[in-house]
Amino acid sequence: MTEQINVPPLPSEPSRLVNFWRGLVYAMRSNPLTAFAMVLFLLFVIAALFGEAIAPYGPLTTSSNTLQPPSWAHPFGTDQLGRDVLSRTIVAARVDFGIALAAVGISFVLGLWLGAAAGYFGGWTDRIVGRMVDTIMAFPLFVLAMGIVAALGNTVWNIVYATAIINLPFYIRFARAEVNSRRDAGFVEAARLSGNSAARILSVHLIPNILPPMMVQVSLNLGWAILNAAGLSFIGLGVRPPTPEWGIMVSEGANYIFSGEWWVFFFPGFALVLAVFCFNLLGDGLRDMIDPKGRT
Amino acid sequence: MIAMIAKRFASAIPSLIGVIIVTFVISHTLPGDPAAYFAGPSATAESIAETRARLGLDQPLPIQFLTYVGDLVQGDMGRSFNSGQPVLTDLARRLPASFELTLYALVFAIVVAVPLGLWAAVNPGSWIDHLCRGTVTAAAAFPSFFTALVLIFVFYYKLGWAPSPIGRLAIYFPIPPSVTGFLTIDAVLAGDLATARAALGQLILPAISLGLFALAPLARMTRASMIGVLGSDFITTARAEGLPRRTVLWTYGFRNALLPVVNILGMIFSFLLGANVLIEQVFGWPGIGSYAVEAVLTSDYAAIQGFVVMMAVLYILLNLGVDILNMIVDPRVRYDD
């Protein structure tokens, strides 16, 4: 005769998705600013994805209502060609976010691998990569970006490359330091002894470990990348009119300040501020989640 | 000490070589043919080839590089297409304007950011701390060119407090004899207070727009380093000894917390020199930044090259200066490797 032991059922493990959701809600509650930034970010993403569909007017549609102040028909007013500033500001999100994402993506991937290799192998690899970083950092970065765009030619992709290059040192340094501090850790040693190749140790054991802190860097960096790209187009590099882009719109609107038509430069500029603000807040929020001690 | 400074100096040389190589590569991939430009609009293929030979542009790249380095050592950066002047003359003439602007911006940033950071550090978690964090994050999000335009609109167009935001000095003021190249200081030295005030007035808006950019890193650094110092053992000891709060905070805390702040000033100065380019463009400031923008937009080959080299050299020297200052101020700092 067997006796049945009644074991109370273990509480079932919540699925990863639920866990993630709970973590997210917790983080948002503990820092309302992060929640605000998240909402803002979603709005920007919607504008970037569906901008043309949301915008009340075509971003390039001109009309005879030039330089109209903000009104119900044109909440952000119209510019010197009678184009709706609101529509142009919304559609511009795609260009600005696109440039920033592409640039940060390139420098993230390149910087991660270069930095990780330098940190893992040390020696000559480290010296060459380090020298490269020093050379880039020896320039005032915006000036270097200007020079690169001037040299490669005045196109949008060259703005992306220039922004990627000036961001590279931060990722390289970060990845190098993180990998370097782990290269002699037990799990890496174990992986090495079981005959894993350096490439495999880096990509399977080390890089996944340094991804979370790298993501904080990415978020903080995106804001900076947008600022740089907009700054370049503000001085007339890269994106050309009539493409709607925040930097260019501010620079075009600057001509109408002295006659009091403030809305032409103000709204696109403010969208730029909000975008950068949003990324900076998200970065701070992410860091608080990942590394609560790192708060400054 | 001197040996250490010399060592630190030597360690800057590879960066310098890297900078010169990068600049050479950048300038030699610039679009546009300088030979065609120099030969003039009515040039034939023959005269272009002749100009190219005269400029040494038909030589292989390594030879061109050696010539370039040789010229650079003698201080010859070539001639600007736009102004027709030697680039070095142009840059030297415009540098004081940029320096004056950047220094005022830096002073503004230090005066605002350091007390803010300290205040926040002394009361962590309080409303003042949140205010500091909020202000600083917001200030970091403002592109300097946008801030500049907003300030111009409000203080010049609406309120009429600021002078016309064009250039360093309105034309009806006499330019003081150049001693330092800083108009405000030169005017005071010449005893012309009206001009000094006018020059200062022209400086305020651009300096604030530029300085706001540097607030965030400075305030954050000050706060973090002060919090770090206040949490350390010697502060606890000082408190336990019953030293007055002021002595603990200022003599023990502040002086130690300041070291990392001084350390990042070099980086911030570079930030500002870069951002200068945009501000000078907005305010019609006759500095090297607006010179560079014009050069980039018109493919003025020698001018861009000269500008980038000069900026990089300045930046390297600046960092060197900061490091040396650090070694003198804090005997614990050593650059061993």
Side-chain angles (χ1 to χ4, degrees):
Chain A
M1 191 169 174
T2 53
E3 206 164 315
Q4 281 263 304
I5 306 167
N6 260 336
V7 180
L10 282 169
S12 62
E13 275 281 299
S15 72
R16 287 185 74 162
L17 197 72
V18 172
N19 252 338
F20 175 74
W21 179 247
R22 280 188 189 155
L24 204 66
V25 169
Y26 175 77
M28 299 288 148
R29 259 205 213 132
S30 55
N31 191 349
L33 267 181
T34 312
F36 168 73
M38 200 70 203
V39 172
L40 210 58
F41 178 65
L42 288 179
L43 287 180
F44 274 120
V45 169
I46 292 172
L49 289 179
F50 312 108
E52 311 247 352
I54 306 170
Y57 300 88
L60 302 178
T61 317
T62 55
S63 75
S64 53
N65 296 328
T66 57
L67 294 171
Q68 295 292 310
S71 62
W72 281 112
H74 299 282
F76 288 3
T78 60
D79 67 4
Q80 71 281 8
L81 297 175
R83 296 171 297 193
D84 181 45
V85 177
L86 172 65
S87 307
R88 285 174 66 74
T89 306
I90 293 177
V91 173
R94 183 181 301 172
V95 180
D96 280 273
F97 272 52
I99 293 176
L101 273 177
V104 170
I106 293 174
S107 46
F108 172 70
V109 172
L110 265 182
L112 182 63
W113 279 97
L114 282 175
Y120 184 76
F121 294 112
W124 273 106
T125 323
D126 193 18
R127 238 166 282 163
I128 291 171
V129 172
R131 202 43 78 209
M132 212 171 88
V133 169
D134 284 350
T135 305
I136 297 178
M137 295 297 284
F139 291 93
L141 293 178
F142 189 76
V143 171
L144 180 62
M146 258 170 64
I148 294 173
V149 176
L152 294 178
N154 204 345
T155 67
V156 177
W157 271 105
N158 289 337
I159 288 227
V160 171
Y161 297 139
T163 313
I165 291 175
I166 62 172
N167 275 320
L168 208 50
F170 304 104
Y171 291 100
I172 294 184
R173 283 188 172 172
F174 199 86
R176 181 189 173 279
E178 295 284 324
V179 165
N180 202 26
S181 69
R182 288 181 174 82
R183 57 179 290 200
D184 297 321
F187 67 96
V188 178
E189 204 80 3
R192 206 176 290 140
L193 287 175
S194 357
N196 288 296
S197 68
R200 197 178 147 78
I201 293 177
L202 271 178
S203 54
V204 178
H205 298 276
L206 280 170
I207 286 181
N209 263 305
I210 67 171
L211 275 182
M214 288 288 277
M215 291 321 288
V216 175
Q217 193 73 10
V218 166
S219 173
L220 290 172
N221 219 221
L222 272 170
W224 199 60
I226 288 192
L227 274 185
N228 260 308
L232 287 173
S233 48
F234 178 80
I235 59 173
L237 290 173
V239 189
R240 306 279 178 93
T243 315
E245 191 276 339
W246 294 328
I248 285 194
M249 291 169 72
V250 174
S251 126
E252 285 182 343
N255 299 325
Y256 302 95
I257 279 195
F258 297 110
S259 44
E261 282 104 4
W262 55 274
W263 54 89
V264 189
F265 90 90
F266 182 78
F267 290 110
F270 197 68
L272 187 58
V273 170
L274 277 184
V276 179
F277 192 53
C278 157
F279 281 125
N280 289 353
L281 282 180
L282 277 183
D284 283 350
L286 263 179
R287 185 184 39 220
D288 290 350
M289 265 193 268
I290 291 170
D291 172 25
K293 277 182 294 180
R295 247 180 104 160
T296 55
Chain B
M1 174 60 90
I2 290 182
M4 233 157 51
I5 292 176
K7 224 168 150 188
R8 177 65 187 78
F9 203 83
S11 75
I13 288 175
S15 297
L16 205 59
I17 295 174
V19 163
I20 290 173
I21 295 176
V22 170
T23 327
F24 179 79
V25 171
I26 285 181
S27 60
H28 281 257
T29 47
L30 275 181
D33 183 358
Y37 189 99
F38 266 118
S42 59
T44 56
E46 249 169 47
S47 67
I48 291 179
E50 192 189 309
T51 319
R52 182 167 292 133
R54 190 161 49 79
L55 293 173
L57 292 171
D58 55 346
Q59 303 287 329
L61 278 182
I63 305 278
Q64 282 193 48
F65 180 69
L66 287 182
T67 325
Y68 168 63
V69 173
D71 287 348
L72 211 56
V73 170
Q74 294 163 29
D76 180 4
M77 291 176 162
R79 221 168 249 280
S80 154
F81 298 156
N82 288 332
S83 68
Q85 298 286 321
V87 172
L88 195 65
T89 318
D90 274 351
L91 289 174
R93 197 163 41 80
R94 283 165 163 265
L95 191 60
S98 297
F99 248 48
E100 189 176 28
L101 174 57
T102 311
L103 271 180
Y104 275 86
L106 197 64
V107 168
F108 165 76
I110 293 174
V111 165
V112 176
V114 171
L116 199 64
L118 287 178
W119 202 3
V122 176
N123 312 296
S126 68
W127 65 271
I128 192 80
D129 191 12
H130 288 299
L131 182 78
C132 168
R133 195 176 170 208
T135 323
V136 154
T137 316
F142 275 82
S144 48
F145 57 89
F146 179 63
T147 328
L149 291 173
V150 172
L151 289 180
I152 290 177
F153 180 73
V154 174
F155 291 103
Y156 172 67
Y157 180 77
K158 277 285 173 198
L159 299 173
W161 293 356
S164 165
I166 291 161
R168 297 176 80 187
L169 200 57
I171 38 168
Y172 42 86
F173 285 102
I175 292 175
S178 177
V179 183
T180 54
F182 288 16
L183 286 186
T184 44
I185 296 178
D186 284 353
V188 170
L189 287 181
D192 186 354
L193 290 183
T195 305
R197 269 193 57 186
L200 195 64
Q202 296 291 114
L203 262 170
I204 289 178
L205 290 191
I208 290 180
S209 351
L210 193 56
L212 275 180
F213 211 55
L215 273 191
L218 260 181
R220 274 175 187 235
M221 196 59 174
T222 313
R223 180 182 176 278
S225 109
M226 188 68 174
I227 284 187
V229 168
L230 288 184
S232 55
D233 290 344
F234 69 92
I235 291 286
T236 318
T237 313
R239 279 204 178 119
E241 300 270 347
L243 287 177
R245 184 175 149 87
R246 198 151 41 121
T247 316
V248 174
L249 285 185
W250 291 102
T251 317
Y252 284 63
F254 181 62
R255 283 181 57 181
N256 279 293
L258 216 55
L259 290 171
V261 178
V262 172
N263 227 338
I264 62 161
L265 278 183
M267 197 191 81
I268 289 185
F269 200 86
S270 139
F271 243 51
L272 291 183
L273 277 178
N276 227 341
V277 171
L278 293 166
I279 295 290
E280 287 183 8
Q281 189 74 353
V282 174
F283 286 92
W285 201 258
I288 50 172
S290 50
Y291 181 71
V293 172
E294 197 193 340
V296 164
L297 294 180
T298 52
S299 294
D300 188 348
Y301 171 80
I304 300 171
Q305 190 166 299
F307 168 75
V308 176
V309 168
M310 195 191 63
M311 285 294 246
V313 169
L314 269 182
Y315 180 40
I316 291 176
L317 288 180
L318 209 83
N319 276 327
L320 202 66
V322 169
D323 283 353
I324 292 173
L325 199 72
N326 249 327
M327 280 196 264
I328 295 170
V329 171
D330 183 2
R332 286 169 302 182
V333 177
R334 289 283 177 270
Y335 295 91
D336 288 329
D337 51 336

